[in-house]
Amino acid sequence: MFCFQCQETAKGTGCTIQGVCGKTADTSMWQDLLLSVVRGIGTVDHCLKKAGKESLPAVEGFITDALFTTITNANFDDDAILRKVTDGIVLKKQLIDKAKEDGVSLPNWPEVTWGGDENDYESEGKREGILRIENADVRSLKELTILGLKGMAAYYEHASHLGEHSSAIIDFMSEALYTVTDPDSSMETLLNCVLATGKFGVDVMALLDKANTKVYGNPELTKVNIGVGKNPGILISGHDLKDIEDLLKQTEGTGIDVYTHGEMLPAHYYPQLKKYKHLVGNYGNAWWKQKEEFDTFNGPIVFTTNCIVPPSPKASYKDRVFTTNAAGYPGWKHVEAGPDGHKDFSEVIAMAKTCQAPTEIEHGEIIGGFAHAQVFALADKVVEAVKSGAIRKFVVMSGCDGRMKSRNYYEEFAMKLPKDVVILTSGCAKFKYNKLSLGDINGIPRVLDAGQCNDSYSWAVVALKLKEIFGANDINDLPIVFNIAWYEQKAVIVLLALLSLGVKNIHIGPTLPAFVSEGVLKVLIENFGLGGITTVDEDMKRMIG
Ligand code: FSO
Ligand code: SF4
């Protein structure tokens, strides 16, 4: 196996025997095979559309689900992955037949021509690994695109569950899949494809923002309880707001409470979700602490997206975890959506009724809900604080948290920030500093949490607004610096999106991605001033002054 897609990759270069995340070599091989099928489907879909022909509607759901499935910690279930491979082969055949009927010629690349014989799954999976691309810079640009597409697929899927679709985004995904499949794509074409991925990254985050706010209202300043109640509870994790809404509706009046975990915390900020009285709080912290926190939660847990940590064989909770959407783990029940998109959580609820209430591990409240609309509502106060010098700088500390010790850097950085600097956060990175009581500046909290990692979009919207208010020529002239923590591929699409908006001098850490080759890094440094992190004191001087 070879996988280097996340920040925790072995030795900072690539996992070759087993994933640090727990992914086995077999799972890695089946994911490579699934990705090859997706590239084939994207290629044929793009050829049809480029020739002005209709493609098949199933392409949208397949591409997004398959890419999402291969995100770090999303799906460890080989059977589920292989079912998706088989479904993909059927879809690819239908597309190829359609191309034949319409007289559209197709490239004879292996991803297109492979017939999908089950006996060849293993050899094909091995052949389609990342190292099939020999040139390190070509590989790097192709992977940057693919990893960005994975993040895009995840956000698209959540938006689509709430009824938002965009043929422009899907067409782009197919075009990009075509470009990375083409063995003759030039470096220039590939670099442009990476940049275009960032542009569509902005579009997909805007689409999800529209979907979330249209259905659930604009996030508003909210205090979230981090303690527990007396009723048994269900813990729901991940990013899919439609799932938590379904669960809240189905648990209403049952005597079961609902708690959010990790990236689901921002559900509390939405008016149409916080109205449910039995949405009692957020339990625990970022994804990587789940082994301890699921144990003491005592009730069932639902994963709506990635960030599964494989449980130890003796884990007390291993029989009370459910997955849905692209997430999966062998032996855990998977809740499928019905044809109308409806999900039936009755089994989860029945299990909850037999469980004890959660054990309290924390007590108190945290504050959040500062997505763009709430920040705009406070705009006068914010602008005044900047003009008077009460706020000297904003530092965007969005992204992911993780288990590496080196990430303590972010907690220390937050603590050492001068008192006139405000942290703008989103994503699970916030769990390093959202309980530190960093105080406020003239009533504006020093940690403003916009929401999930996709809500980094809010910080782009806010930056553009500030640019307008202050009459700045360039977004980079504002008193905003970016010190972003990354872990998996949603952070990749967020980063590419920021680059496409013209944001320069972004620092990413705790380490630079293994999938960025030396040559590509040079281009990113020259054109965007992208950089890593050093020590807290050094970076404080560089970024804050
Ligand atoms: Fe975190 Fe996990 Fe949102 Fe990621 S929970 S690490 S970037 O999946 O998606 O921030
Ligand atoms: Fe390794 Fe990360 Fe890939 Fe898992 S997702 S196999 S930890 S690089």
Side-chain angles (χ1 to χ4, degrees), residues 276-319:
Y276 292 93
K277 297 268 176 303
H278 64 299
L279 176 62
V280 299
N282 185 74
Y283 191 83
N285 295 278
W287 64 276
W288 60 278
K289 289 194 175 162
Q290 64 188 249
K291 282 188 171 181
E292 299 82 47
E293 293 170 356
F294 290 179
D295 177 37
T296 53
F297 183 72
N298 304 329
I301 299 127
V302 180
F303 272 100
T304 69
T305 53
N306 50 311
C307 284
I308 294 172
V309 178
S312 35
K314 286 192 181 150
S316 66
Y317 60 85
K318 70 178 187 342
D319 297 324

mmCIF file of all heavy atoms in Angstrom, residues 276-319:
data_model
loop_
_atom_site.group_PDB
_atom_site.id
_atom_site.type_symbol
_atom_site.label_atom_id
_atom_site.label_comp_id
_atom_site.label_asym_id
_atom_site.label_seq_id
_atom_site.Cartn_x
_atom_site.Cartn_y
_atom_site.Cartn_z
ATOM 1 N N TYR A 276 -34.915 22.476 19.405
ATOM 2 C CA TYR A 276 -35.263 21.200 20.029
ATOM 3 C C TYR A 276 -34.705 21.155 21.454
ATOM 4 O O TYR A 276 -33.492 21.215 21.648
ATOM 5 C CB TYR A 276 -34.714 20.016 19.222
ATOM 6 C CG TYR A 276 -35.394 19.848 17.879
ATOM 7 C CD1 TYR A 276 -34.875 20.435 16.722
ATOM 8 C CD2 TYR A 276 -36.577 19.111 17.768
ATOM 9 C CE1 TYR A 276 -35.498 20.286 15.494
ATOM 10 C CE2 TYR A 276 -37.208 18.957 16.542
ATOM 11 C CZ TYR A 276 -36.661 19.546 15.413
ATOM 12 O OH TYR A 276 -37.297 19.404 14.196
ATOM 13 N N LYS A 277 -35.614 21.058 22.407
ATOM 14 C CA LYS A 277 -35.208 21.094 23.821
ATOM 15 C C LYS A 277 -34.324 19.905 24.205
ATOM 16 O O LYS A 277 -33.529 19.977 25.130
ATOM 17 C CB LYS A 277 -36.451 21.085 24.730
ATOM 18 C CG LYS A 277 -37.341 22.305 24.565
ATOM 19 C CD LYS A 277 -36.956 23.393 25.551
ATOM 20 C CE LYS A 277 -37.741 24.674 25.359
ATOM 21 N NZ LYS A 277 -37.648 25.287 24.019
ATOM 22 N N HIS A 278 -34.530 18.793 23.511
ATOM 23 C CA HIS A 278 -33.744 17.602 23.886
ATOM 24 C C HIS A 278 -32.388 17.539 23.169
ATOM 25 O O HIS A 278 -31.693 16.535 23.274
ATOM 26 C CB HIS A 278 -34.554 16.327 23.666
ATOM 27 C CG HIS A 278 -34.923 16.060 22.239
ATOM 28 N ND1 HIS A 278 -35.701 16.916 21.495
ATOM 29 C CD2 HIS A 278 -34.602 15.036 21.421
ATOM 30 C CE1 HIS A 278 -35.848 16.426 20.278
ATOM 31 N NE2 HIS A 278 -35.178 15.287 20.214
ATOM 32 N N LEU A 279 -32.032 18.619 22.463
ATOM 33 C CA LEU A 279 -30.642 18.760 21.992
ATOM 34 C C LEU A 279 -29.915 19.430 23.154
ATOM 35 O O LEU A 279 -29.892 20.655 23.272
ATOM 36 C CB LEU A 279 -30.586 19.613 20.723
ATOM 37 C CG LEU A 279 -29.184 19.925 20.179
ATOM 38 C CD1 LEU A 279 -28.437 18.656 19.783
ATOM 39 C CD2 LEU A 279 -29.259 20.864 18.972
ATOM 40 N N VAL A 280 -29.379 18.603 24.056
ATOM 41 C CA VAL A 280 -28.994 19.189 25.346
ATOM 42 C C VAL A 280 -27.580 19.717 25.423
ATOM 43 O O VAL A 280 -27.269 20.529 26.274
ATOM 44 C CB VAL A 280 -29.231 18.229 26.532
ATOM 45 C CG1 VAL A 280 -30.674 17.856 26.668
ATOM 46 C CG2 VAL A 280 -28.386 16.983 26.413
ATOM 47 N N GLY A 281 -26.687 19.260 24.554
ATOM 48 C CA GLY A 281 -25.328 19.779 24.683
ATOM 49 C C GLY A 281 -24.339 19.115 23.752
ATOM 50 O O GLY A 281 -24.719 18.311 22.890
ATOM 51 N N ASN A 282 -23.082 19.493 23.941
ATOM 52 C CA ASN A 282 -21.996 18.859 23.205
ATOM 53 C C ASN A 282 -21.202 18.019 24.190
ATOM 54 O O ASN A 282 -20.858 18.491 25.273
ATOM 55 C CB ASN A 282 -21.076 19.912 22.571
ATOM 56 C CG ASN A 282 -20.008 19.269 21.702
ATOM 57 O OD1 ASN A 282 -20.301 18.799 20.603
ATOM 58 N ND2 ASN A 282 -18.775 19.218 22.181
ATOM 59 N N TYR A 283 -20.935 16.778 23.802
ATOM 60 C CA TYR A 283 -20.210 15.874 24.700
ATOM 61 C C TYR A 283 -18.816 15.644 24.136
ATOM 62 O O TYR A 283 -18.659 15.136 23.028
ATOM 63 C CB TYR A 283 -20.963 14.553 24.804
ATOM 64 C CG TYR A 283 -20.451 13.625 25.899
ATOM 65 C CD1 TYR A 283 -20.875 13.783 27.206
ATOM 66 C CD2 TYR A 283 -19.552 12.603 25.616
ATOM 67 C CE1 TYR A 283 -20.413 12.945 28.215
ATOM 68 C CE2 TYR A 283 -19.094 11.759 26.615
ATOM 69 C CZ TYR A 283 -19.523 11.940 27.912
ATOM 70 O OH TYR A 283 -19.073 11.099 28.918
ATOM 71 N N GLY A 284 -17.799 16.031 24.897
ATOM 72 C CA GLY A 284 -16.438 15.708 24.510
ATOM 73 C C GLY A 284 -15.779 16.726 23.611
ATOM 74 O O GLY A 284 -16.162 17.897 23.572
ATOM 75 N N ASN A 285 -14.800 16.247 22.859
ATOM 76 C CA ASN A 285 -13.893 17.144 22.141
ATOM 77 C C ASN A 285 -13.749 16.731 20.686
ATOM 78 O O ASN A 285 -14.701 16.264 20.085
ATOM 79 C CB ASN A 285 -12.562 17.160 22.883
ATOM 80 C CG ASN A 285 -12.732 17.778 24.260
ATOM 81 O OD1 ASN A 285 -12.727 18.984 24.401
ATOM 82 N ND2 ASN A 285 -12.950 16.956 25.293
ATOM 83 N N ALA A 286 -12.532 16.914 20.152
ATOM 84 C CA ALA A 286 -12.320 16.578 18.746
ATOM 85 C C ALA A 286 -12.278 15.056 18.568
ATOM 86 O O ALA A 286 -12.125 14.298 19.526
ATOM 87 C CB ALA A 286 -11.042 17.221 18.247
ATOM 88 N N TRP A 287 -12.388 14.634 17.328
ATOM 89 C CA TRP A 287 -12.527 13.228 16.933
ATOM 90 C C TRP A 287 -11.542 12.268 17.595
ATOM 91 O O TRP A 287 -11.889 11.146 17.941
ATOM 92 C CB TRP A 287 -12.391 13.144 15.404
ATOM 93 C CG TRP A 287 -11.025 13.572 14.909
ATOM 94 C CD1 TRP A 287 -10.618 14.841 14.655
ATOM 95 C CD2 TRP A 287 -9.904 12.725 14.656
ATOM 96 N NE1 TRP A 287 -9.305 14.855 14.246
ATOM 97 C CE2 TRP A 287 -8.843 13.556 14.231
ATOM 98 C CE3 TRP A 287 -9.680 11.343 14.729
ATOM 99 C CZ2 TRP A 287 -7.584 13.058 13.892
ATOM 100 C CZ3 TRP A 287 -8.426 10.851 14.394
ATOM 101 C CH2 TRP A 287 -7.397 11.708 13.971
ATOM 102 N N TRP A 288 -10.294 12.709 17.787
ATOM 103 C CA TRP A 288 -9.256 11.753 18.182
ATOM 104 C C TRP A 288 -9.364 11.330 19.643
ATOM 105 O O TRP A 288 -8.690 10.401 20.066
ATOM 106 C CB TRP A 288 -7.866 12.335 17.891
ATOM 107 C CG TRP A 288 -7.568 13.616 18.626
ATOM 108 C CD1 TRP A 288 -7.955 14.865 18.247
ATOM 109 C CD2 TRP A 288 -6.859 13.762 19.850
ATOM 110 N NE1 TRP A 288 -7.527 15.785 19.167
ATOM 111 C CE2 TRP A 288 -6.837 15.137 20.154
ATOM 112 C CE3 TRP A 288 -6.227 12.868 20.714
ATOM 113 C CZ2 TRP A 288 -6.222 15.640 21.298
ATOM 114 C CZ3 TRP A 288 -5.609 13.375 21.851
ATOM 115 C CH2 TRP A 288 -5.618 14.747 22.125
ATOM 116 N N LYS A 289 -10.261 11.988 20.399
ATOM 117 C CA LYS A 289 -10.430 11.575 21.796
ATOM 118 C C LYS A 289 -11.612 10.615 21.958
ATOM 119 O O LYS A 289 -12.090 10.365 23.057
ATOM 120 C CB LYS A 289 -10.650 12.808 22.679
ATOM 121 C CG LYS A 289 -9.403 13.647 22.838
ATOM 122 C CD LYS A 289 -9.562 14.636 23.972
ATOM 123 C CE LYS A 289 -8.268 15.384 24.209
ATOM 124 N NZ LYS A 289 -8.495 16.606 24.980
ATOM 125 N N GLN A 290 -12.129 10.114 20.828
ATOM 126 C CA GLN A 290 -13.376 9.352 20.891
ATOM 127 C C GLN A 290 -13.281 8.060 21.692
ATOM 128 O O GLN A 290 -14.287 7.629 22.259
ATOM 129 C CB GLN A 290 -13.937 9.078 19.494
ATOM 130 C CG GLN A 290 -13.091 8.218 18.619
ATOM 131 C CD GLN A 290 -13.625 8.170 17.190
ATOM 132 O OE1 GLN A 290 -14.103 7.155 16.761
ATOM 133 N NE2 GLN A 290 -13.549 9.246 16.452
ATOM 134 N N LYS A 291 -12.118 7.433 21.746
ATOM 135 C CA LYS A 291 -12.046 6.142 22.453
ATOM 136 C C LYS A 291 -12.447 6.302 23.917
ATOM 137 O O LYS A 291 -13.198 5.494 24.444
ATOM 138 C CB LYS A 291 -10.643 5.561 22.356
ATOM 139 C CG LYS A 291 -10.356 4.905 21.024
ATOM 140 C CD LYS A 291 -9.025 4.186 21.091
ATOM 141 C CE LYS A 291 -8.809 3.343 19.858
ATOM 142 N NZ LYS A 291 -7.542 2.625 19.908
ATOM 143 N N GLU A 292 -11.956 7.353 24.561
ATOM 144 C CA GLU A 292 -12.313 7.577 25.966
ATOM 145 C C GLU A 292 -13.746 8.119 26.065
ATOM 146 O O GLU A 292 -14.528 7.704 26.908
ATOM 147 C CB GLU A 292 -11.380 8.599 26.640
ATOM 148 C CG GLU A 292 -9.914 8.211 26.687
ATOM 149 C CD GLU A 292 -9.186 8.515 25.388
ATOM 150 O OE1 GLU A 292 -9.358 9.628 24.877
ATOM 151 O OE2 GLU A 292 -8.474 7.631 24.862
ATOM 152 N N GLU A 293 -14.075 9.042 25.190
ATOM 153 C CA GLU A 293 -15.357 9.736 25.328
ATOM 154 C C GLU A 293 -16.562 8.851 24.969
ATOM 155 O O GLU A 293 -17.629 8.983 25.570
ATOM 156 C CB GLU A 293 -15.335 11.012 24.491
ATOM 157 C CG GLU A 293 -14.337 12.013 25.073
ATOM 158 C CD GLU A 293 -14.051 13.218 24.189
ATOM 159 O OE1 GLU A 293 -14.564 13.283 23.061
ATOM 160 O OE2 GLU A 293 -13.312 14.098 24.630
ATOM 161 N N PHE A 294 -16.393 7.963 24.004
ATOM 162 C CA PHE A 294 -17.503 7.068 23.658
ATOM 163 C C PHE A 294 -17.738 6.070 24.782
ATOM 164 O O PHE A 294 -18.851 5.624 25.017
ATOM 165 C CB PHE A 294 -17.226 6.325 22.348
ATOM 166 C CG PHE A 294 -17.273 7.206 21.108
ATOM 167 C CD1 PHE A 294 -17.032 6.676 19.856
ATOM 168 C CD2 PHE A 294 -17.571 8.562 21.210
ATOM 169 C CE1 PHE A 294 -17.081 7.484 18.713
ATOM 170 C CE2 PHE A 294 -17.614 9.369 20.077
ATOM 171 C CZ PHE A 294 -17.362 8.829 18.827
ATOM 172 N N ASP A 295 -16.660 5.718 25.464
ATOM 173 C CA ASP A 295 -16.772 4.784 26.573
ATOM 174 C C ASP A 295 -17.666 5.379 27.662
ATOM 175 O O ASP A 295 -18.611 4.739 28.121
ATOM 176 C CB ASP A 295 -15.360 4.498 27.112
ATOM 177 C CG ASP A 295 -15.380 3.580 28.322
ATOM 178 O OD1 ASP A 295 -16.221 2.672 28.326
ATOM 179 O OD2 ASP A 295 -14.581 3.789 29.250
ATOM 180 N N THR A 296 -17.414 6.618 28.045
ATOM 181 C CA THR A 296 -18.175 7.214 29.155
ATOM 182 C C THR A 296 -19.517 7.781 28.703
ATOM 183 O O THR A 296 -20.346 8.132 29.529
ATOM 184 C CB THR A 296 -17.379 8.351 29.822
ATOM 185 O OG1 THR A 296 -16.966 9.273 28.804
ATOM 186 C CG2 THR A 296 -16.162 7.816 30.557
ATOM 187 N N PHE A 297 -19.735 7.845 27.386
ATOM 188 C CA PHE A 297 -21.023 8.389 26.943
ATOM 189 C C PHE A 297 -22.169 7.428 27.273
ATOM 190 O O PHE A 297 -23.314 7.833 27.483
ATOM 191 C CB PHE A 297 -21.003 8.702 25.438
ATOM 192 C CG PHE A 297 -22.283 9.324 24.995
ATOM 193 C CD1 PHE A 297 -22.583 10.639 25.348
ATOM 194 C CD2 PHE A 297 -23.234 8.596 24.296
ATOM 195 C CE1 PHE A 297 -23.802 11.217 24.995
ATOM 196 C CE2 PHE A 297 -24.446 9.164 23.940
ATOM 197 C CZ PHE A 297 -24.721 10.479 24.284
ATOM 198 N N ASN A 298 -21.854 6.160 27.242
ATOM 199 C CA ASN A 298 -22.796 5.089 27.635
ATOM 200 C C ASN A 298 -23.896 4.768 26.622
ATOM 201 O O ASN A 298 -24.502 3.706 26.684
ATOM 202 C CB ASN A 298 -23.465 5.367 29.006
ATOM 203 C CG ASN A 298 -22.442 5.573 30.121
ATOM 204 O OD1 ASN A 298 -21.375 4.988 30.072
ATOM 205 N ND2 ASN A 298 -22.757 6.405 31.103
ATOM 206 N N GLY A 299 -24.211 5.649 25.729
ATOM 207 C CA GLY A 299 -25.312 5.410 24.781
ATOM 208 C C GLY A 299 -24.801 5.234 23.365
ATOM 209 O O GLY A 299 -23.592 5.271 23.105
ATOM 210 N N PRO A 300 -25.735 5.023 22.410
ATOM 211 C CA PRO A 300 -25.330 4.838 21.014
ATOM 212 C C PRO A 300 -24.727 6.087 20.380
ATOM 213 O O PRO A 300 -25.016 7.214 20.780
ATOM 214 C CB PRO A 300 -26.629 4.453 20.303
ATOM 215 C CG PRO A 300 -27.729 4.742 21.238
ATOM 216 C CD PRO A 300 -27.182 4.862 22.614
ATOM 217 N N ILE A 301 -23.908 5.842 19.385
ATOM 218 C CA ILE A 301 -23.175 6.912 18.698
ATOM 219 C C ILE A 301 -23.467 6.788 17.199
ATOM 220 O O ILE A 301 -23.454 5.675 16.664
ATOM 221 C CB ILE A 301 -21.661 6.742 18.947
ATOM 222 C CG1 ILE A 301 -21.364 6.827 20.446
ATOM 223 C CG2 ILE A 301 -20.842 7.768 18.177
ATOM 224 C CD1 ILE A 301 -20.587 5.686 20.993
ATOM 225 N N VAL A 302 -23.713 7.898 16.531
ATOM 226 C CA VAL A 302 -23.968 7.873 15.083
ATOM 227 C C VAL A 302 -22.897 8.703 14.372
ATOM 228 O O VAL A 302 -22.723 9.885 14.670
ATOM 229 C CB VAL A 302 -25.361 8.474 14.751
ATOM 230 C CG1 VAL A 302 -25.619 8.436 13.240
ATOM 231 C CG2 VAL A 302 -26.477 7.745 15.495
ATOM 232 N N PHE A 303 -22.211 8.078 13.429
ATOM 233 C CA PHE A 303 -21.230 8.789 12.596
ATOM 234 C C PHE A 303 -21.881 9.213 11.293
ATOM 235 O O PHE A 303 -22.271 8.358 10.496
ATOM 236 C CB PHE A 303 -20.058 7.870 12.245
ATOM 237 C CG PHE A 303 -18.955 7.881 13.248
ATOM 238 C CD1 PHE A 303 -18.836 6.880 14.191
ATOM 239 C CD2 PHE A 303 -18.015 8.900 13.242
ATOM 240 C CE1 PHE A 303 -17.808 6.890 15.113
ATOM 241 C CE2 PHE A 303 -16.977 8.924 14.162
ATOM 242 C CZ PHE A 303 -16.882 7.912 15.101
ATOM 243 N N THR A 304 -21.960 10.501 11.048
ATOM 244 C CA THR A 304 -22.537 10.943 9.777
ATOM 245 C C THR A 304 -21.450 11.215 8.740
ATOM 246 O O THR A 304 -21.758 11.376 7.566
ATOM 247 C CB THR A 304 -23.387 12.214 9.962
ATOM 248 O OG1 THR A 304 -22.521 13.312 10.271
ATOM 249 C CG2 THR A 304 -24.414 12.046 11.064
ATOM 250 N N THR A 305 -20.208 11.320 9.185
ATOM 251 C CA THR A 305 -19.090 11.454 8.241
ATOM 252 C C THR A 305 -17.864 10.769 8.797
ATOM 253 O O THR A 305 -17.971 9.920 9.676
ATOM 254 C CB THR A 305 -18.711 12.935 7.964
ATOM 255 O OG1 THR A 305 -18.478 13.606 9.187
ATOM 256 C CG2 THR A 305 -19.761 13.667 7.188
ATOM 257 N N ASN A 306 -16.712 11.197 8.302
ATOM 258 C CA ASN A 306 -15.443 10.559 8.648
ATOM 259 C C ASN A 306 -15.014 10.868 10.081
ATOM 260 O O ASN A 306 -15.777 11.385 10.882
ATOM 261 C CB ASN A 306 -14.362 11.025 7.683
ATOM 262 C CG ASN A 306 -14.333 12.533 7.548
ATOM 263 O OD1 ASN A 306 -15.367 13.137 7.335
ATOM 264 N ND2 ASN A 306 -13.198 13.129 7.697
ATOM 265 N N CYS A 307 -13.760 10.565 10.331
ATOM 266 C CA CYS A 307 -13.145 10.741 11.643
ATOM 267 C C CYS A 307 -13.521 9.640 12.625
ATOM 268 O O CYS A 307 -13.757 9.866 13.803
ATOM 269 C CB CYS A 307 -13.359 12.151 12.188
ATOM 270 S SG CYS A 307 -12.234 13.265 11.311
ATOM 271 N N ILE A 308 -13.551 8.419 12.057
ATOM 272 C CA ILE A 308 -13.715 7.216 12.873
ATOM 273 C C ILE A 308 -12.322 6.771 13.328
ATOM 274 O O ILE A 308 -11.411 6.691 12.516
ATOM 275 C CB ILE A 308 -14.337 6.073 12.029
ATOM 276 C CG1 ILE A 308 -15.769 6.418 11.620
ATOM 277 C CG2 ILE A 308 -14.271 4.739 12.765
ATOM 278 C CD1 ILE A 308 -16.380 5.433 10.627
ATOM 279 N N VAL A 309 -12.182 6.504 14.612
ATOM 280 C CA VAL A 309 -10.954 5.874 15.099
ATOM 281 C C VAL A 309 -11.310 4.406 15.357
ATOM 282 O O VAL A 309 -12.247 4.136 16.120
ATOM 283 C CB VAL A 309 -10.457 6.533 16.408
ATOM 284 C CG1 VAL A 309 -9.205 5.822 16.916
ATOM 285 C CG2 VAL A 309 -10.181 8.009 16.195
ATOM 286 N N PRO A 310 -10.612 3.462 14.723
ATOM 287 C CA PRO A 310 -10.959 2.059 14.961
ATOM 288 C C PRO A 310 -10.939 1.744 16.457
ATOM 289 O O PRO A 310 -9.980 2.084 17.149
ATOM 290 C CB PRO A 310 -9.866 1.296 14.207
ATOM 291 C CG PRO A 310 -9.417 2.234 13.139
ATOM 292 C CD PRO A 310 -9.506 3.604 13.752
ATOM 293 N N PRO A 311 -12.002 1.121 16.962
ATOM 294 C CA PRO A 311 -12.052 0.852 18.408
ATOM 295 C C PRO A 311 -11.132 -0.304 18.772
ATOM 296 O O PRO A 311 -10.854 -1.159 17.940
ATOM 297 C CB PRO A 311 -13.509 0.442 18.613
ATOM 298 C CG PRO A 311 -13.943 -0.121 17.311
ATOM 299 C CD PRO A 311 -13.165 0.594 16.238
ATOM 300 N N SER A 312 -10.652 -0.311 20.009
ATOM 301 C CA SER A 312 -9.871 -1.478 20.418
ATOM 302 C C SER A 312 -10.852 -2.648 20.593
ATOM 303 O O SER A 312 -12.042 -2.437 20.850
ATOM 304 C CB SER A 312 -9.085 -1.188 21.692
ATOM 305 O OG SER A 312 -9.814 -0.348 22.517
ATOM 306 N N PRO A 313 -10.348 -3.885 20.449
ATOM 307 C CA PRO A 313 -11.250 -5.045 20.464
ATOM 308 C C PRO A 313 -12.126 -5.106 21.715
ATOM 309 O O PRO A 313 -13.240 -5.616 21.673
ATOM 310 C CB PRO A 313 -10.299 -6.246 20.402
ATOM 311 C CG PRO A 313 -8.992 -5.712 19.919
ATOM 312 C CD PRO A 313 -8.940 -4.257 20.260
ATOM 313 N N LYS A 314 -11.617 -4.562 22.817
ATOM 314 C CA LYS A 314 -12.405 -4.651 24.052
ATOM 315 C C LYS A 314 -13.216 -3.390 24.334
ATOM 316 O O LYS A 314 -13.769 -3.242 25.422
ATOM 317 C CB LYS A 314 -11.456 -4.915 25.226
ATOM 318 C CG LYS A 314 -10.933 -6.329 25.235
ATOM 319 C CD LYS A 314 -10.251 -6.628 26.561
ATOM 320 C CE LYS A 314 -9.694 -8.040 26.559
ATOM 321 N NZ LYS A 314 -8.505 -8.158 27.387
ATOM 322 N N ALA A 315 -13.280 -2.481 23.392
ATOM 323 C CA ALA A 315 -13.974 -1.209 23.637
ATOM 324 C C ALA A 315 -15.416 -1.453 24.088
ATOM 325 O O ALA A 315 -16.134 -2.248 23.475
ATOM 326 C CB ALA A 315 -13.957 -0.365 22.370
ATOM 327 N N SER A 316 -15.809 -0.766 25.148
ATOM 328 C CA SER A 316 -17.148 -0.974 25.708
ATOM 329 C C SER A 316 -18.226 -0.537 24.735
ATOM 330 O O SER A 316 -19.354 -0.987 24.782
ATOM 331 C CB SER A 316 -17.281 -0.174 26.997
ATOM 332 O OG SER A 316 -17.214 1.220 26.681
ATOM 333 N N TYR A 317 -17.884 0.365 23.825
ATOM 334 C CA TYR A 317 -18.902 0.971 22.964
ATOM 335 C C TYR A 317 -19.000 0.323 21.583
ATOM 336 O O TYR A 317 -19.821 0.713 20.771
ATOM 337 C CB TYR A 317 -18.608 2.468 22.789
ATOM 338 C CG TYR A 317 -17.261 2.774 22.146
ATOM 339 C CD1 TYR A 317 -17.132 2.784 20.768
ATOM 340 C CD2 TYR A 317 -16.129 3.024 22.918
ATOM 341 C CE1 TYR A 317 -15.904 3.039 20.168
ATOM 342 C CE2 TYR A 317 -14.904 3.278 22.343
ATOM 343 C CZ TYR A 317 -14.799 3.292 20.964
ATOM 344 O OH TYR A 317 -13.592 3.536 20.381
ATOM 345 N N LYS A 318 -18.139 -0.697 21.331
ATOM 346 C CA LYS A 318 -18.015 -1.137 19.941
ATOM 347 C C LYS A 318 -19.327 -1.704 19.354
ATOM 348 O O LYS A 318 -19.483 -1.735 18.142
ATOM 349 C CB LYS A 318 -16.848 -2.089 19.754
ATOM 350 C CG LYS A 318 -16.991 -3.453 20.373
ATOM 351 C CD LYS A 318 -15.756 -4.263 20.031
ATOM 352 C CE LYS A 318 -15.779 -5.700 20.417
ATOM 353 N NZ LYS A 318 -16.718 -6.184 21.396
ATOM 354 N N ASP A 319 -20.263 -2.100 20.217
ATOM 355 C CA ASP A 319 -21.531 -2.606 19.691
ATOM 356 C C ASP A 319 -22.633 -1.553 19.681
ATOM 357 O O ASP A 319 -23.792 -1.852 19.432
ATOM 358 C CB ASP A 319 -21.993 -3.808 20.522
ATOM 359 C CG ASP A 319 -20.998 -4.951 20.409
ATOM 360 O OD1 ASP A 319 -20.440 -5.118 19.302
ATOM 361 O OD2 ASP A 319 -20.756 -5.646 21.423
#
